Amino acid sequence: PKNIPPKVEISGTISSKNKVDLLSEVSGKLRTKKNNFKVGNEFKRGQTLIRVESSDLKLEIKSVKSEFLSLLIQCLPDLKLDYPVSFNKWEAYVEGFNINRRLRNLPDSENNQIRNYLSGRGIYSLFYRIMSLENKLDKFSIKAPFDCVVTQSFLSTGSNIVMGQKIGQIIDKKNYEISTSLGISESELFKIGDYATLNSEDIDKTFNAKIKRKGNHINTLTQSIDIFFDISDKDLKDGMFVKGYVTGEVLKNVYKIPRNKLVKDKNIFIKKNNILVEKEIKVIYFDNDSVIISGLDNEDCVIDNYRNYFYDGIEIN
């Protein structure tokens, strides 16, 4: 018996953990003199990827804000007479109102009477209409959600964008993962946090990866369990093919025998009192031309050279 760390060969394709298809939520003309949203260009988190012409919407917002301000001014005299406690903060709100800035939240209403009065004058409905328009305005500018690089772009300078149109694709080039499949029995040998050593034929370099997730279902196409590894390195590229080994915790008191010693996939021949006996063993995993098993005893004598006429119970000299 030996203590053997399980080591299984794996392979797969590197893919970015964050791969985002960009779709436009608004329609309009691409607003830029120079289109920087091109394949290969990189952006920092928060940088603007694309701007869509929004001058018409901005004018509409200013028009509604002017209407809203006029309505507030009309309400101030009534507030001063009927609700003097609330007058000062509504007056301060009007004085601080800036038509060119984003709308501030309305002052709190002390009681239902003030709320009902303002609601009857249309203050709240107009306020939420402006909020909706300002939220829509935000959609005319698409910002990078993380440090990214453009992998697909369907725009050119002066393009007209239609709502729902696919604009392109961005990926996070710092965080990658690789998915592979292992047999059901093999997948049980590894747990979250186990490491793999990988390499690519295109780069003379070794990469370390760590198991991040394990599937809880059987992939119907491969009849195996999907395993996902986190991997990060500046030399990695999305779509790169890598292969290597994943290593798990040491298996204690197991045996390594040639693969061709298996009979009916789960038995081996041993000698017992000058008779060949098929003994059932447990196959743990296959290692190239060998197999790691358990279920033997130290006194078992394993037959070395098989013959095609062997059978269970045959007497030997």
Side-chain angles (χ1 to χ4, degrees):
K2 297 180 180 179
N3 296 334
I4 301 175
K7 188 177 180 181
V8 175
E9 185 175 355
I10 61 172
S11 62
T13 303
I14 299 292
S15 62
S16 174
K17 291 177 66 176
N18 298 314
K19 185 177 293 185
V20 180
D21 289 331
L22 299 180
L23 302 177
S24 176
E25 295 184 81
V26 296
S27 300
K29 188 175 181 180
L30 186 64
R31 182 192 166 193
T32 179
K33 293 181 180 179
K34 181 181 179 182
N35 178 25
N36 292 321
F37 189 77
K38 293 183 178 180
V39 174
N41 282 352
E42 298 183 11
F43 294 86
K44 295 291 185 181
R45 180 178 181 179
Q47 278 189 303
T48 299
L49 301 173
I50 297 164
R51 289 185 189 274
V52 180
E53 181 58 48
S54 59
S55 56
D56 290 343
L57 181 59
K58 288 180 179 178
L59 290 175
E60 182 182 355
I61 292 175
K62 286 185 178 181
S63 174
V64 180
K65 279 185 175 180
S66 296
E67 183 182 346
F68 180 65
L69 179 59
S70 176
L71 194 58
L72 284 173
I73 293 172
Q74 294 176 28
C75 291
L76 286 180
D78 292 337
L79 288 173
K80 187 173 183 179
L81 290 174
D82 299 331
Y83 311 102
V85 177
S86 302
F87 173 74
N88 289 335
K89 62 182 179 181
W90 282 96
E91 183 182 39
Y93 184 85
V94 171
E95 290 178 354
F97 192 92
N98 190 328
I99 200 171
N100 295 314
R101 293 182 182 176
R102 198 173 185 91
L103 197 63
R104 295 180 298 154
N105 289 331
L106 292 175
D108 294 330
S109 299
E110 279 78 7
N111 53 60
N112 292 339
Q113 288 182 332
I114 300 176
R115 183 201 63 190
N116 295 340
Y117 168 74
L118 295 173
S119 180
R121 297 298 298 269
I123 295 295
Y124 289 109
S125 62
L126 207 53
F127 172 79
Y128 288 115
R129 180 184 171 192
I130 295 172
M131 292 282 287
S132 176
L133 291 173
E134 287 183 334
N135 288 339
K136 183 178 180 181
L137 183 63
D138 291 339
K139 298 176 182 180
F140 281 76
S141 178
I142 301 178
K143 298 183 182 295
F146 45 78
D147 293 349
C148 63
V149 60
V150 180
T151 56
Q152 292 180 358
S153 176
F154 306 112
L155 298 178
S156 57
T157 303
S159 296
N160 286 317
I161 298 174
V162 180
M163 184 185 300
Q165 173 185 342
K166 184 176 179 179
I167 298 172
Q169 184 186 78
I170 58 173
I171 65 168
D172 181 353
K173 69 170 192 173
K174 293 183 179 179
N175 298 294
Y176 294 96
E177 68 177 11
I178 174 177
S179 63
T180 189
S181 297
L182 294 177
I184 299 175
S185 59
E186 289 179 341
S187 69
E188 295 175 352
L189 301 175
F190 307 101
K191 65 180 188 306
I192 305 298
D194 285 342
Y195 282 88
T197 302
L198 306 170
N199 59 76
S200 170
E201 295 180 354
D202 299 321
I203 299 179
D204 185 18
K205 187 174 182 179
T206 299
F207 308 101
N208 292 321
K210 183 171 69 173
I211 297 179
K212 187 67 174 180
R213 307 190 311 277
K214 289 179 64 176
N216 291 320
H217 67 287
I218 296 176
N219 188 319
T220 55
L221 296 177
T222 61
Q223 286 298 301
S224 56
I225 303 295
D226 292 328
I227 309 291
F228 299 88
F229 296 81
D230 269 355
I231 182 170
S232 181
D233 192 280
K234 62 182 179 62
D235 293 323
L236 291 173
K237 305 292 183 184
D238 187 67
M240 179 187 292
F241 181 78
V242 293
K243 58 182 180 180
Y245 293 90
V246 57
T247 306
E249 289 187 359
V250 173
L251 301 172
K252 297 182 179 180
N253 298 321
V254 294
Y255 301 84
K256 185 175 183 178
I257 64 173
R259 193 167 183 167
N260 59 12
K261 293 292 179 287
L262 291 180
V263 179
K264 302 173 185 176
D265 296 330
K266 61 179 181 179
N267 297 338
I268 61 172
F269 280 123
I270 65 170
K271 175 186 174 184
K272 192 172 185 179
N273 298 327
N274 293 330
I275 294 177
L276 287 187
V277 178
E278 283 188 20
K279 182 169 184 175
E280 184 175 347
I281 48 86
K282 180 182 179 182
V283 175
I284 300 176
Y285 76 96
F286 293 99
D287 184 11
N288 295 323
D289 294 334
S290 301
V291 59
I292 310 301
I293 65 172
S294 63
L296 289 178
D297 298 319
N298 286 340
E299 63 270 16
D300 286 340
C301 178
V302 179
I303 302 302
D304 188 22
N305 295 315
Y306 284 9
R307 298 290 184 267
N308 56 10
Y309 54 81
F310 282 179
Y311 60 86
D312 184 31
I314 186 175
E315 186 176 352
I316 60 174
N317 295 325

